[in-house]
């Protein structure tokens, strides 16, 4: 892909696709195709870019809960400044699904129910860490509950995800995340995202047993969720951004995940006091 030079004399890994450049000052930049959104991969039966959700008919700049069909159906998720209303995850480990206004809605692009779809709003830098390979740090402070970035990539089937995992060599990184959503007692929806070849800045985020980000599935235009990462606390400038690959946050329990029998465990280098010493074999969260 073509990288643009930024005013800080580094590379913009997004090639101008993001409103805010993704800085990388390393001598050699990683090789992959940058995409701000999920794309359909092998086994994906629904085009992630297709608008499949209904829109509201609000004519105001920002939707109101008393008149917006989106907010009445799915509930209000954000404050007027874009911060999550429920910034403390429940002890159960389950979270309430988030639905934003979409391309069929008649409200403006500045509607407070449009957050993740606006893309990056904070300056991030991809850098070489001491012991974990690539990593991502923020160049500015980020407040608790604010959207940081997506984990975007190829949406693939379970069979393809399993094939890719078993084909991996020991030294290769495992990028695949499995999202398992429970609606009631019997309905389970699974989404598998792999940003190894096609992805965004989220692919460079490292695991931590004490992370500062947590992931929520957010639906915008499509029934396929966008894997959005929010600040789990106030984050300082120059701090590395991390999330828990197992789906927990802090003391939250790890999520149930697809079988990965036969895969070799990889040592964790997060350095946290509560480090489990090994990375999770699979990447999944509950919602």
């Amino acid at each position: 892909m073509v990288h643009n030079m930024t005013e800080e004399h580094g590379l913009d890994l997004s090639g101008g696709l993001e409103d805010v450049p993704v800085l990388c000052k390393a001598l050699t930049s990683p090789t992959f195709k940058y995409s701000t959104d999920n794309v359909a991969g092998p086994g994906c039966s629904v085009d992630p870019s297709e608008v499949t959700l209904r829109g509201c008919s609000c004519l105001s700049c920002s939707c109101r809960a008393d008149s917006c069909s989106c907010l009445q159906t799915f509930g209000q998720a954000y404050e007027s400044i874009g911060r999550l209303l429920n910034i403390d995850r429940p002890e159960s480990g389950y979270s309430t699904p988030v639905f934003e206004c979409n391309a069929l809605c008649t409200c403006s692009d500045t509607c407070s129910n449009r957050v993740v779809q606006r893309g990056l709003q904070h300056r991030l830098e991809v850098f070489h860490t001491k012991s974990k390979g690539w990593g991502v740090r923020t160049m500015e402070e980020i407040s608790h509950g604010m959207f940081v970035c997506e984990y975007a990539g190829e949406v693939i089937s379970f069979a393809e995800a399993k094939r890719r995992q078993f084909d991996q060599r020991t030294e290769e990184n495992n990028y695949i995340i499995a999202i398992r959503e429970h609606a009631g007692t019997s309905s389970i929806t699974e989404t598998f995202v792999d940003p190894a070849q096609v992805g965004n800045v989220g692919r460079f985020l490292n695991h931590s047993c004490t992370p500062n980000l947590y992931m929520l599935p957010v639906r915008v235009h499509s029934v396929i969720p966008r894997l959005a990462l929010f600040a789990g606390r106030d984050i300082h400038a120059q701090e590395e951004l991390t999330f828990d690959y197992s789906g927990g946050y802090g003391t939250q329990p790890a999520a149930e995940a697809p079988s990965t029998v036969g895969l070799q465990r990889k040592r964790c280098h997060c350095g946290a006091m509560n480090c489990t010493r090994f990375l999770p074999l699979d990447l999944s969260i509950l919602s």
Side-chain angles (χ1 to χ4, degrees):
M1 65 174 292
V2 177
H3 301 296
N4 295 340
M5 297 297 292
T6 68
E7 59 184 9
E8 294 89 350
H9 304 294
L11 293 175
D12 175 12
L13 288 184
S14 78
L17 295 177
E18 301 280 11
D19 290 338
V20 180
V22 179
L23 185 64
C24 182
K25 294 181 180 179
L27 294 177
T28 58
S29 59
T31 303
F32 71 107
K33 182 179 179 181
Y34 200 99
S35 176
T36 58
D37 303 309
N38 287 328
V39 299
C44 180
S45 58
V46 178
D47 184 353
S49 65
E50 182 181 358
V51 182
T52 56
L53 298 178
R54 285 186 174 183
C56 68
S57 56
C58 299
L59 299 178
S60 57
C61 290
S62 189
C63 293
R64 301 192 309 270
D66 60 351
S67 58
C68 174
S69 59
C70 292
L71 296 179
Q72 290 174 349
T73 302
F74 304 114
Q76 186 171 345
Y78 305 114
E79 298 177 2
S80 60
I81 61 172
R83 190 199 318 271
L84 281 172
L85 283 171
N86 182 19
I87 60 177
D88 295 317
R89 298 192 71 185
E91 293 183 0
S92 65
Y94 288 80
S95 57
T96 303
V98 175
F99 288 79
E100 295 190 0
C101 287
N102 59 58
L104 297 182
C105 295
T106 54
C107 56
S108 75
D109 292 339
T110 60
C111 175
S112 60
N113 197 39
R114 298 178 186 266
V115 174
V116 173
Q117 62 192 272
R118 293 178 188 164
L120 289 186
Q121 301 297 314
H122 301 284
R123 292 183 297 126
L124 307 181
E125 180 183 18
V126 175
F127 71 107
H128 271 303
T129 66
K130 291 182 178 179
S131 59
K132 299 176 291 185
W134 295 102
V136 181
R137 60 189 168 202
T138 175
M139 308 302 290
E140 58 190 70
E141 293 185 355
I142 303 176
S143 299
H144 188 187
M146 298 301 288
F147 170 66
V148 178
C149 69
E150 282 189 57
Y151 194 90
E154 288 184 279
V155 179
I156 58 179
S157 65
F158 171 71
E160 178 65 14
K162 191 172 183 180
R163 185 194 68 78
R164 291 185 183 188
Q165 283 192 324
F166 275 97
D167 285 349
Q168 275 185 345
R169 296 190 296 270
T170 304
E171 68 275 10
E172 291 180 324
N173 293 324
N174 178 22
Y175 291 98
I176 302 172
I177 280 188
I179 303 299
R180 177 170 291 163
E181 299 176 274
H182 295 247
T185 57
S186 59
S187 177
I188 299 177
T189 300
E190 292 182 323
T191 305
F192 301 88
V193 177
D194 182 6
Q197 301 300 321
V198 180
N200 71 338
V201 64
R203 73 192 294 281
F204 298 105
L205 293 168
N206 281 313
H207 163 82
S208 175
C209 298
T210 308
N212 50 25
L213 304 178
Y214 65 92
M215 183 178 284
L216 285 177
V218 175
R219 285 176 170 81
V220 182
H221 312 299
S222 172
V223 293
I224 295 180
R226 295 164 77 153
L227 312 187
L229 289 145
F230 294 85
R233 57 170 173 79
D234 290 340
I235 304 174
H236 302 294
Q238 300 297 321
E239 188 175 345
E240 183 180 359
L241 300 173
T242 59
F243 73 104
D244 187 341
Y245 284 6
S246 68
Y249 178 75
T251 58
Q252 298 296 333
E256 181 185 5
S259 173
T260 52
V261 177
L263 293 181
Q264 184 173 345
R265 293 197 297 174
K266 299 178 182 180
R267 189 166 294 277
C268 180
H269 298 283
C270 75
M273 293 294 292
N274 65 332
C275 182
T276 58
R277 295 191 301 163
F278 290 97
L279 292 176
L281 286 177
D282 35 49
L283 315 180
S284 65
I285 66 172
L286 292 172
S287 66

